[in-house]
Amino acid sequence: MSFNPVTPVPQVKGADLENNKLDSFRSFVASIVAEFSGISADNILAILEVPRNPEHGDIAIAVPRLRVQGNPAQIAQQWVEKFSPNEYITSCTATGHYLNFKINKLLLANILLDDIYKRKEKYGTNQSGAGKKALVEFSSPNIAKPFHAGHLRSTIIGNFVKNVHDANGWETIGLNYLGDWGKQYGLLAVGFEKYGSEEDLLNNPIKHLYDVYVKINEDADKNETINDQARAYFKKMEEGDEAALSLWKKFRNLSIEKYKDTYARLNINFDIYSGESQVSNESINRALEILKEKKMLQESDGALIIDLNQYKLDVAVVQKKDGTTLYITRDIGAAIERYEKYKFDAMYYLVASQQDLHLKQLFKILELMGIEWVGRCKHINFGMVSGMSTRKGTAVFLDDILEQTKESMHEVMKQNEKKYSQVENPDKVADIIGISAVMIQDMAAKRIRNYAFNWNRMFSFEGDTGPYLQYAHARLCSIERNCGFGINPNIDISLLSEKSALDLIDMVAQYPDFVKGALNTLEPCTIVTYAMKLSHTISVALETLWVVGQKEHKVAEARLLMYWASRITLGNALKLLGLKPLERM
Ligand code: ARG
């Protein structure tokens, strides 16, 4: 590198000098303003901003927020006069009551490219969560029932929530809480006796069980005795009857095996396959005991209920007349078991907002039981999707959704014949880009917003789409492949002083802020927006700053390093979102 700073960076609490290179510059600004104002640099660091208008500078502070005596605009002016530049901070100006600082961008470029060269895949991550554990429950489909849009969103967003915790240094556990218990599994067993086929079950358990379930439901609608049989069967299951349980276990295990393959296509694997069935009777009974002691249970028609009306949370039924448990009862037992087993610092439930009431009831009941860790449980909710059914109208399984996606993507790719003929493995590429399209569409807006599944728009290579992001990544990979020389970390940094180069460095430097910020909001759209802006800044730079076709070798090398660092950063952002970054397409 061409120059190394000699001024030591001041130590300011809250600055992560190791993982966030902008924090070095912020520490200087905080110390400078601390000297002017007499306020501690730690407090100042926390209120630094990025100026709305980039012409004004790189770091700003609203003087009124310091609460010093006097007219803020005048004070800002006085401070400007006192300021003297250093290696890191090159200027200080005032606009109204704002104080704006410009940083030495080439120094930033120098430090940043060096850092990314060393850290590669780890660039952007930090260790702020070291020693903390997060349990993330997501996806959680129901056996023998459709995998609907709510499950797809839970899968996509849940994987993101887990990745964000990993990136911030947490230990994470991904848990799939299957819907695999309740009277409907009694019904399924009754149906299997009538309509089941061993062979179909082994071939495609998810589809076969669903078919059986649909048929037996139709029968049950006509014939009430089938429901009685189902109830009796489920009661046997709850009582631990070996024969009843072994059939159900087979259904469950085969379904899980099949799900594992499909999740792998999405680049997801779970640490634990749990489910409603796995909650022990013992922990449920213990919970019911506590509820009884606390006088929270009431009898109603032979069933046990908890009246939560005074909290505007309606009534929760925790035990049926026949003594069997319900969805919420199992959730109470499951939460307690999970805490005992994992002692988590945070537990997330990735469930659609239709179940807001259910989770509010759950958390309220745990609170009333006197459970002190209830504050660590969080419901991460999201809105609904419309129009997800496929052209054939039959997408009830995750597999179908992904197949349909791949086919549609394939068709879009074929429209560009010349390019298509150069793709080595079109089937695999279509699969990955198609999945990216679905995922980015899902994560592009705030979680709580509903959206319409748009089979045309999401596959476009232009606009805010998954294919656009993948294309930006693959394009940089192709430059690296085709330029004819390798990455050299020892470049002359002054060769990167064009505006579009500095803008790109600036974007890349912000990535660690976004990783940290995502931990607070758990909003994937913040990272999608970042990835879009980064891709856009890359494409602006590529218009004028060429690598291939650049005669001056030293210039080409400097640019290659910059594009390589941008590609690493974009790739890291895509992986954080759960995408597999493509190298060719
Ligand atoms: N299986 C449930 C459903 O499909 C979702 C489970 C949500 N998680 C929970 N702990 N209740 O609606």
Side-chain angles (χ1 to χ4, degrees):
M1 295 280 172
S2 55
F3 55 92
N4 284 309
V6 288
T7 327
V9 180
Q11 287 290 323
V12 180
K13 212 172 122 230
D16 187 353
L17 300 184
E18 191 173 329
N19 298 303
N20 189 327
K21 296 304 161 194
L22 283 173
D23 273 3
S24 308
F25 296 83
R26 293 179 183 132
S27 298
F28 274 102
V29 169
S31 318
I32 292 167
V33 178
E35 212 163 283
F36 292 160
S37 64
I39 294 164
S40 92
D42 306 355
N43 292 337
I44 295 170
L45 187 80
I47 57 168
L48 295 180
E49 301 172 29
V50 179
R52 283 234 186 89
N53 179 351
E55 308 275 291
H56 288 167
D58 306 295
I59 301 172
I61 184 158
V63 175
R65 294 196 63 185
L66 298 170
R67 295 169 202 283
V68 282
Q69 289 242 312
N71 176 317
Q74 269 168 15
I75 293 172
Q77 207 51 57
Q78 285 160 13
W79 289 350
V80 166
E81 278 148 36
K82 280 198 207 161
F83 172 82
S84 51
N86 68 24
E87 264 182 304
Y88 283 77
I89 310 298
T90 55
S91 81
C92 170
T93 53
T95 20
H97 58 242
Y98 268 97
L99 207 54
N100 300 309
F101 296 88
K102 284 201 170 133
I103 68 172
N104 179 347
K105 296 236 167 155
L106 284 180
L107 177 62
L108 171 65
N110 197 352
I111 300 172
L112 185 71
L113 294 181
D114 205 30
D115 183 50
I116 298 177
Y117 187 74
K118 286 189 196 117
R119 302 188 55 196
K120 301 188 174 70
E121 276 67 37
K122 291 255 172 291
Y123 174 63
T125 65
N126 66 70
Q127 284 304 316
S128 60
K132 286 195 266 185
K133 201 188 279 179
L135 196 112
V136 186
E137 187 221 280
F138 65 110
S139 198
S140 307
N142 304 320
I143 288 176
K145 289 206 204 152
F147 188 102
H148 55 62
H151 297 122
L152 183 64
R153 295 208 76 186
S154 172
T155 309
I156 294 171
I157 301 170
N159 187 46
F160 171 78
V161 168
K162 181 171 181 287
N163 290 347
V164 167
H165 281 78
D166 284 330
N168 282 283
W170 287 61
E171 181 192 335
T172 60
I173 302 165
L175 182 143
N176 196 330
Y177 183 69
L178 298 170
D180 58 359
W181 204 241
K183 189 205 117 193
Q184 61 273 35
Y185 298 97
L187 190 60
L188 185 66
V190 173
F192 197 75
E193 236 159 74
K194 222 169 147 188
Y195 299 114
S197 136
E198 260 333 290
E199 200 191 325
D200 293 348
L201 182 67
L202 290 177
N203 267 336
N204 193 343
I206 295 180
K207 179 165 181 345
H208 184 56
L209 291 176
Y210 175 70
D211 289 342
V212 168
Y213 188 67
V214 169
K215 282 190 198 148
I216 195 70
N217 257 300
E218 282 167 9
D219 293 356
D221 283 344
K222 287 176 231 143
N223 180 350
E224 193 37 41
T225 62
I226 290 187
N227 276 319
D228 294 335
Q229 287 169 33
R231 262 188 290 271
Y233 200 100
F234 178 57
K235 190 134 205 309
K236 277 201 284 184
M237 286 166 65
E238 279 229 319
E239 285 160 3
D241 180 282
E242 287 292 328
L245 283 178
S246 81
L247 181 65
W248 162 87
K249 263 188 199 141
K250 190 156 138 193
F251 293 166
R252 180 175 196 270
N253 289 338
L254 290 170
S255 302
I256 290 176
E257 284 318 305
K258 174 82 185 159
Y259 265 123
K260 278 187 184 162
D261 291 343
T262 312
Y263 287 127
R265 223 167 136 178
L266 290 169
N267 214 8
I268 290 173
N269 79 45
F270 287 91
D271 300 295
I272 303 161
Y273 279 86
S274 174
E276 293 177 41
S277 68
Q278 305 300 298
V279 186
S280 74
N281 285 340
E282 195 217 318
S283 46
I284 289 182
N285 290 336
R286 246 196 303 145
L288 289 175
E289 251 342 281
I290 299 176
L291 289 166
K292 206 158 97 192
E293 268 169 37
K294 304 239 168 195
K295 305 216 180 329
M296 285 164 62
L297 295 182
Q298 290 173 25
E299 242 192 73
S300 161
D301 272 340
L304 292 178
I305 65 163
I306 302 174
D307 187 345
L308 297 169
N309 273 308
Q310 56 174 307
Y311 309 103
K312 298 204 167 58
L313 294 176
D314 211 338
V315 166
V317 184
V318 293
Q319 192 175 70
K320 285 201 205 163
K321 273 212 286 270
D322 64 1
T324 55
T325 60
L326 287 107
Y327 183 44
I328 189 137
T329 332
R330 298 190 279 274
D331 255 329
I332 298 168
I336 295 171
E337 277 180 8
R338 290 176 195 175
Y339 187 74
E340 282 170 358
K341 190 148 175 207
Y342 302 108
K343 297 276 182 299
F344 50 75
D345 298 277
M347 168 157 68
Y348 299 98
Y349 292 84
L350 273 290
V351 190
S353 62
Q354 281 115 309
Q355 294 193 33
D356 281 356
L357 177 65
H358 171 77
L359 287 141
K360 279 186 186 148
Q361 287 183 334
L362 172 63
F363 299 164
K364 182 52 88 182
I365 293 170
L366 293 173
E367 181 196 317
L368 295 171
M369 285 170 74
I371 284 172
E372 81 280 7
W373 47 263
V374 64
R376 301 181 189 192
C377 302
K378 294 184 184 83
H379 177 198
I380 307 299
N381 60 359
F382 44 82
M384 290 195 305
V385 184
S386 54
M388 199 178 80
S389 63
T390 63
R391 269 173 251 163
K392 292 168 208 140
T394 51
V396 289
F397 313 113
L398 180 55
D399 249 0
D400 290 342
I401 300 167
L402 300 184
E403 274 311 298
Q404 172 81 67
T405 302
K406 182 169 81 180
E407 268 172 42
S408 307
M409 195 67 234
H410 220 135
E411 277 165 31
V412 175
M413 285 164 63
K414 278 183 190 155
Q415 285 163 14
N416 190 337
E417 263 172 58
K418 190 163 159 261
K419 260 187 106 190
Y420 183 76
S421 64
Q422 290 164 2
V423 181
E424 262 169 49
N425 192 342
D427 202 59
K428 191 170 159 229
V429 170
D431 193 40
I432 295 179
I433 312 179
I435 287 171
S436 307
V438 170
M439 290 175 65
I440 293 300
Q441 167 174 258
D442 194 88
M443 296 189 281
K446 285 253 176 83
R447 294 189 319 258
I448 201 67
R449 291 256 304 268
N450 301 333
Y451 72 89
F453 214 76
N454 188 326
W455 286 98
N456 296 322
R457 195 186 52 216
M458 71 172 160
F459 293 124
S460 164
F461 285 85
E462 281 142 42
D464 291 352
T465 65
Y468 172 73
L469 293 176
Q470 287 286 14
Y471 174 70
H473 187 269
R475 190 173 172 203
L476 293 178
C477 291
S478 114
I479 293 173
E480 287 167 35
R481 275 194 308 271
N482 299 329
C483 67
F485 51 93
I487 308 292
N488 175 8
N490 299 310
I491 55 153
D492 175 356
I493 206 80
S494 67
L495 298 174
L496 293 177
S497 46
E498 293 91 352
K499 180 174 183 310
S500 49
L502 295 177
D503 284 350
L504 182 52
I505 304 263
D506 217 47
M507 252 344 272
V508 170
Q510 287 175 39
Y511 182 57
D513 285 342
F514 279 81
V515 175
K516 192 169 147 201
L519 190 65
N520 298 324
T521 61
L522 298 180
E523 286 287 359
C525 65
T526 58
I527 303 296
V528 173
T529 307
Y530 173 78
M532 292 292 171
K533 277 197 193 150
L534 176 60
S535 300
H536 184 71
T537 316
I538 290 167
S539 96
V540 170
L542 283 171
E543 279 169 25
T544 54
L545 308 180
W546 304 341
V547 176
V548 182
Q550 166 58 47
K551 288 193 200 78
E552 200 72 57
H553 183 63
K554 283 206 162 328
V555 174
E557 266 193 330
R559 290 178 185 171
L560 182 68
L561 182 67
M562 172 183 77
Y563 287 128
W564 173 84
S566 311
R567 194 265 294 173
I568 294 288
T569 307
L570 180 58
N572 290 355
L574 297 185
K575 282 185 262 177
L576 186 63
L577 290 166
L579 273 57
K580 291 183 196 165
L582 275 170
E583 291 180 7
R584 296 168 194 266
M585 64 186 259

